[in-house]
Amino acid sequence: MGFLISVRINYRICHKIKEIPGKYAIIGLPSYIMEIRLLSEIDPVIKERIKFCIGLVCGHQKSANFAEFLAWQCGIEPGKLQSIDFRKKLSGSPANEYAIEVTGVINGERHTIVRKMKDLVGGDWGQGPFKVSASDFTDDVMNETADVTLGDAWLPEYTQDSSGNNIIVVRNPVIKSIIECGIASHRVSVDEVDEDTIYKSQEGHYKHTYNELKYRLYKKERARQWHPKKRVNPSNNLSWSRKRIQDMRERICLKVPIIYVKARKRHDLNYVMKRLKSMSKGYERIYLIGAVIVKIKNLCKD
């Protein structure tokens, strides 16, 4: 008997794994896979039954209000959303121009609506509206403790395929053998690439999650707030523009949930739309100023 589970590790799931004998594979985000590994060190049943940990690359986690906010923009009011597909593929469009598909009740009738993510407010993943703030204090980009890691191949040579492509980092010899069999039988198409290509596919993720984590830790220390111990040390050594980008991302992360609760109470989508658009414009201005500063510095060098 085999099972495939895609959930955050919790007591209920662990109880089921221990209650029902079998071989299990767990799909999870970096922190969840790490939880499984740590639990396996103290629980021999969990260690024996969970055969594979399949890791996903994750920019950050969102609260449930993110789905509700996107659906509200599609005409489905809060509390009436029934299902959502965050990555609806659009035939003929590049893989990074995906859509969402929401199903819910509008005026008493069930509707399914597809909208391009780029046309929705809050769809810019870098800005981080509705982000779970704990996501800003991980330094694991590639789900390092997983047997195999899968992530988006955000590279020009691969995004043109509307079906999408994945980077694959294999650490387990059994999974490596399975993939090699798939390649040999032409069921799987794989390009072997170097570490630099893998890095470039998630370059923005690395910059925020690892390189600029030191500044977020520095801000916590300066405010005398607790923060987890990480593999990088707190530091204020970051360019002016990148500091301001981090500051704005934090502001959006903290302010948007509060604004959204008020919008729900008012039954007024425009209340949150107007304020999030204003913060987004401020965010974009910082990027523009940063680009100007870099250009001036380069001119001075010449």
Side-chain angles (χ1 to χ4, degrees), residues 2 30 65 78 93 113 125 151 207 282:
N65 284 340
S93 297
I113 300 162
W125 208 259
K207 182 181 290 185

Side-chain angles (χ1 to χ4, degrees), residues 123-186:
D124 186 330
W125 208 259
Q127 293 182 17
F130 301 99
K131 173 169 59 179
V132 176
S133 59
S135 295
D136 269 341
F137 296 93
T138 177
D139 56 7
D140 185 355
V141 175
M142 283 293 165
N143 217 319
E144 298 168 24
T145 61
D147 292 301
V148 59
T149 296
L150 305 173
D152 292 297
W154 294 136
L155 295 165
E157 58 268 39
Y158 294 108
T159 55
Q160 294 309 306
D161 181 357
S162 61
S163 297
N165 286 276
N166 285 113
I167 52 170
I168 308 173
V169 180
V170 184
R171 305 180 184 93
N172 184 296
V174 175
I175 293 178
K176 181 174 181 288
S177 176
I178 292 171
I179 292 174
E180 288 174 342
C181 288
I183 294 170
S185 61
H186 304 290

